Amino acid sequence: FSHLQEKDGGMVSFGGKDKGKIIGIGKVRDLIDDVLLVDGLNHNLLSISQLCDKGYGVTFDKSHCSVFEKGSNEIKFFGQRVNNVYTVDFENVSSDGLCLVADFGDAPWLWHRRLGHASFRVISKLSRHELVNGLPKVNFSSDKICEACAKGKQTRSSFKAKNIVSSFRP
């Protein structure tokens, strides 16, 4: 907490039937207002719905999450996924903003999605002729199949075939 004041009264329900008494309310690192200090809660938890109610947006990825201010899209803080929990280290968060590095380890698939699931042959041609600003010079060939593209190409009949005629007239 960067600021904390005592609060008398109020309860918070935990995952089971347990409850904890609210003993304080404050501000965390000049980023989040109205944070409750709860007696008996052994972990620091953030409510995603309450962050959204306060005007923040939250995005989750396989390895991290980002909390940003809606409208300006300024990233307020960043969390890493550890096991199945996203953790935020507020000790290393600057309230002046963050400098983040984008990881382009899987650039061909990233550009495949960015360009509306274009074929790798088309993306390779765009890269070779420098038709897209920022498109890296990467080998755009793949031995994998994009799940979204495969689902988009699947066909099936809309109704089961019937052995009898159910219409009375043409």
Side-chain angles (χ1 to χ4, degrees), residues 17-167:
K17 295 181 180 179
D18 298 332
K19 292 189 177 193
K21 182 180 178 192
I22 299 171
I23 56 176
I25 188 168
K27 186 180 234 185
V28 174
R29 300 275 296 166
D30 294 327
L31 294 171
I32 309 170
D33 295 324
D34 303 326
V35 177
L36 301 176
L37 178 61
V38 179
D39 187 32
L41 189 59
N42 296 329
H43 301 283
N44 298 325
L45 303 175
L46 289 173
S47 168
I48 302 304
S49 61
Q50 288 180 349
L51 284 173
C52 292
D53 290 344
K54 291 184 181 292
Y56 292 103
V58 183
T59 58
F60 289 92
D61 193 316
K62 182 178 176 182
S63 61
H64 68 277
C65 68
S66 302
V67 176
F68 57 93
E69 200 166 338
K70 287 183 181 173
S72 70
N73 288 336
E74 176 188 346
I75 294 181
K76 289 299 188 179
F77 55 92
F78 181 78
Q80 294 284 35
R81 182 175 175 177
V82 179
N83 296 324
N84 283 329
V85 177
Y86 292 88
T87 60
V88 178
D89 182 9
F90 282 110
E91 294 299 317
N92 296 322
V93 173
S94 165
S95 60
D96 299 334
L98 298 176
C99 179
L100 301 175
V101 176
D103 179 17
F104 293 106
D106 207 10
W109 286 102
L110 173 71
W111 283 97
H112 169 74
R113 290 188 305 272
R114 279 185 179 170
L115 296 173
H117 294 270
S119 71
F120 282 104
R121 186 180 306 134
V122 169
I123 299 172
S124 181
K125 192 174 189 178
L126 291 172
S127 175
R128 193 172 48 252
H129 295 295
E130 297 179 0
L131 297 173
V132 176
N133 291 337
L135 185 62
K137 297 280 187 193
V138 178
N139 180 19
F140 289 102
S141 64
S142 176
D143 57 350
K144 296 187 276 183
I145 297 173
C146 173
E147 185 178 340
C149 291
K151 284 184 179 179
K153 292 175 184 168
Q154 286 180 345
T155 60
R156 67 181 182 108
S157 53
S158 25
F159 300 101
K160 285 186 174 181
K162 296 193 293 187
N163 294 335
I164 59 170
V165 178
S166 58
S167 60

Side-chain angles (χ1 to χ4, degrees), residues 3-18:
H3 174 73
L4 181 66
Q5 67 183 37
E6 284 187 38
K7 180 175 175 157
D8 190 28
M11 301 293 277
V12 172
S13 298
F14 301 147
K17 295 181 180 179
D18 298 332

